Amino acid sequence: MLALVDANNMYVSCERVFDPRLIGRPVVVLSSNDGAAIARSEEAKALGIRMAQPWFQIRHLEKTAGLVALSANFELYADMSSRMMAIEARYAPGQEIYSIDESFLDFAGVRGDLVAIGRDLRETVLREVGLPACVGLGPTKTLAKLGNHIAKSAERKPGSYPAHLARVCNLGAMPEEELHRLFAATAVGEVWGIGRKTGARLIDSGVRTVLDFVRADAATIRKQYSVVVEKTLLELRGVACMAFDDAPASNKQIMVSRSFGNAVTSMDGIIEAVSEFATRAVERLRKQHSVAGAINVFFTTSPFRRHDRQHEVGVTLPLVRPTADTRVLVSAAVAVVRRRYRPGFNYAKAGVMLMDLQQAGVMEQGELDLFAAAPKASPAAATPQRDRANLMDALDAVNRRFGRDSVRIASATLASSGSDTRSWAARHDRRTSRYTTRWDEIPQARA
DNA sequence: TCTGGGGTCCTAGGACCC
DNA sequence: TCTGGGGTCCTAGGACCC
């Protein structure tokens, strides 16, 4: 049996732990640049605020409805997440961390009342970390997910489902009749894997509820949609098609991109931004012990500014040899900007993507770089690759110890050393303190 | 004035090979 | 008029997720 544990409104709940005044009020957490709502409290949802809704469309609710908006504080959320995940891991032999606020647990071999265990788990998370969560159980991932959806709905919309399913719901231990009643009460679009497009098409064809869907013919679904949708269907019937994976492979690509706080109209500004994004991306790359075989750099104007002339640059550069060297990748990114930048545009966004990732240190013989220096005869002389790795290790160590960007690549400071003052940097005016990860931002108790 | 930032997997179609 | 048939690899785009 699998469980899916999911924190309720994770980002808002994290903020409430450190500021109880937010409890009971409509609260949203805003994306980078305070651009759009990426988390909503129940009260905010009740105001009709949609996921990813632009801030400028809802900001009037600050005055009229007491809405509180905060800038995303990802450092805080990540730390709260790791605390929560550690507790969840105590309850099952296997854990697959699926996102910042969700993990699958594998209860294979665990005896006893899983609903009782689930209740204990969520109470412990609430007591020790302060985050409310719901637990869904089922024989497959998709059913565990659906159980979680029902557990959450039953909690926040009394009457939508039987009250005893609130907060913890096990779809793996109920008579088919009862299961089908729940399926019939659930829209097909609520199923994990059925998105907007597929959901709309299913409804058009008369498949409205989960029950309609599980009764559909699998082969026909596969033909009309895809194997992915067919797998979802089979999973709802209890046939596991998605493996539980407690040691997920490292990422296959790494992307860092941002909308600018202010439009950038100089090449130096783009170079500076792209240098920083590349630096961040390569840090993540080294953290997972990978090297990149290619880098993609893009920068673009804003399609929302219709009166602006539009221009978009996106270039993928293969690398002679896969690398995790910040200098090489920043240089490559800067070269793209120098070659492709065109003046006279209001650039709104840029990004860097690292691709063709491979594990570091496992280069095939056939992939050896013909142009790399031959190994020196003297055993004392390290190969250039070794030097590189040592330099990057040192860079990471210094920045870990003395703070991010204590040491960095020169082009990343290009514009800020001149008159420009990093006007491209994203705004986050409403960010709360990083209570748990910065000594100087630790919360203070007053007598 | 102001519109998120990450990821994954699958499929179709073209290039290329024998 | 007829115009091979498979296989692989790569890429772009779509759909989905949080």
Side-chain angles (χ1 to χ4, degrees):
Chain A
M1 193 69 67
L2 300 178
L4 188 273
V5 188
D6 188 342
N8 302 354
N9 315 325
M10 170 82 174
Y11 299 166
V12 170
S13 297
C14 288
E15 299 289 352
R16 283 177 167 171
V17 170
F18 294 93
D19 187 355
R21 289 171 301 182
L22 298 175
I23 295 168
R25 299 187 60 174
V27 180
V28 293
V29 170
L30 302 174
S31 63
S32 152
N33 263 324
D34 297 343
I38 53 172
R40 307 157 294 159
S41 70
E42 295 304 324
E43 299 80 2
K45 289 174 191 170
L47 290 176
I49 297 171
R50 296 185 314 274
M51 192 63 175
Q53 188 163 12
W55 170 230
F56 75 90
Q57 289 177 3
I58 54 175
R59 68 181 311 162
H60 63 277
L61 295 170
E62 266 185 313
K63 292 219 173 75
T64 59
L67 177 66
V68 178
L70 301 168
S71 306
N73 186 348
F74 289 112
E75 198 167 313
L76 174 68
Y77 312 149
D79 185 64
M80 297 291 280
S81 171
S82 65
R83 293 164 193 248
M84 177 176 74
M85 295 303 174
I87 293 168
E88 293 172 11
R90 306 205 296 248
Y91 282 83
Q95 180 185 40
E96 177 185 336
I97 295 176
Y98 178 69
S99 75
I100 192 163
D101 67 337
E102 288 171 69
S103 82
F104 287 101
L105 298 176
D106 186 356
F107 283 105
V110 174
R111 281 186 291 182
D113 180 353
L114 291 181
V115 169
I117 293 173
R119 292 200 187 285
D120 185 52
L121 184 161
R122 67 171 300 282
E123 277 155 28
T124 306
V125 168
L126 186 60
R127 189 175 61 245
E128 295 188 13
V129 190
L131 297 177
C134 285
V135 181
L137 290 139
T140 65
K141 282 184 166 180
T142 305
L143 281 168
K145 267 279 202 182
L146 191 64
N148 188 275
H149 168 76
I150 291 171
K152 273 193 173 154
S153 300
E155 180 184 19
R156 70 178 159 228
K157 285 176 284 183
S160 59
Y161 292 101
H164 71 279
L165 300 176
R167 293 183 287 278
V168 179
C169 169
N170 186 356
L171 296 182
M174 58 176 62
E176 189 173 75
E177 209 180 304
E178 189 181 349
L179 187 64
H180 282 188
R181 268 202 301 277
L182 295 175
F183 282 177
T186 307
V188 69
E190 303 293 345
V191 173
W192 186 46
I194 304 297
R196 234 185 38 243
K197 296 261 182 181
T198 307
R201 282 179 61 197
L202 284 168
I203 289 170
D204 276 351
S205 71
V207 176
R208 291 183 179 79
T209 68
V210 180
L211 186 61
D212 297 335
F213 187 51
V214 296
R215 286 180 169 165
D217 177 59
T220 307
I221 290 291
R222 179 186 192 139
K223 218 175 297 165
Q224 287 177 350
Y225 298 88
S226 68
V227 297
V228 185
V229 179
E230 186 198 21
K231 277 184 188 173
T232 297
L233 169 57
L234 295 175
E235 284 245 324
L236 288 171
R237 290 183 187 161
V239 180
C241 300
M242 308 174 67
F244 180 86
D245 186 3
D246 51 5
S250 45
N251 288 347
K252 294 180 176 170
Q253 66 179 44
I254 291 173
M255 172 151 74
V256 176
S257 78
R258 299 266 183 285
S259 297
F260 298 139
N262 296 101
V264 172
T265 54
S266 73
M267 183 163 77
D268 280 358
I270 303 281
I271 287 177
E272 185 184 295
V274 158
S275 298
E276 176 159 329
F277 300 161
T279 303
R280 295 284 94 83
V282 184
E283 280 169 4
R284 277 198 237 157
L285 183 71
R286 286 197 293 268
K287 204 166 175 188
Q288 66 169 48
H289 307 293
S290 296
V291 290
I295 179 171
N296 175 277
V297 180
F298 66 91
F299 49 100
T300 176
T301 50
S302 168
F304 294 110
R305 296 170 63 121
R306 292 224 200 91
H307 47 284
D308 276 13
R309 289 166 61 226
Q310 300 291 317
H311 180 45
E312 189 175 347
V313 171
V315 176
T316 300
L317 221 56
L319 298 160
V320 178
R321 183 176 55 197
T323 184
D325 187 324
T326 305
R327 296 166 304 170
V328 172
L329 289 159
V330 168
S331 304
V334 170
V336 168
V337 178
R338 288 199 188 285
R339 203 174 335 126
R340 298 292 300 278
Y341 178 85
R342 281 166 52 199
F345 294 95
N346 294 318
Y347 291 101
K349 181 177 182 172
V352 167
M353 216 183 304
L354 303 179
M355 305 181 312
D356 296 349
L357 306 193
Q358 321 164 20
Q359 248 193 301
V362 289
M363 238 193 312
E364 306 280 327
Q365 197 169 16
E367 294 176 52
L368 283 175
D369 177 8
L370 193 60
F371 302 103
K376 303 257 168 47
S378 154
T383 65
Q385 261 162 296
R386 176 52 57 196
D387 282 348
R388 251 172 228 273
N390 288 343
L391 177 63
M392 289 301 124
D393 286 348
L395 181 72
D396 290 336
V398 168
N399 284 335
R400 251 197 319 275
R401 175 149 175 202
F402 297 105
R404 177 186 271 187
D405 285 341
S406 298
V407 180
R408 57 177 169 172
I409 303 298
S411 63
T413 62
L414 191 86
S416 51
S417 62
S419 54
D420 199 338
T421 52
R422 287 171 62 90
S423 66
W424 54 271
R427 292 183 304 268
H428 43 76
D429 303 334
R430 301 154 171 269
R431 197 182 65 200
T432 52
S433 298
R434 291 161 291 190
Y435 305 101
T436 61
T437 52
R438 305 273 173 147
W439 284 112
D440 51 345
E441 297 182 19
I442 204 164
Q444 292 178 15
R446 292 194 194 82

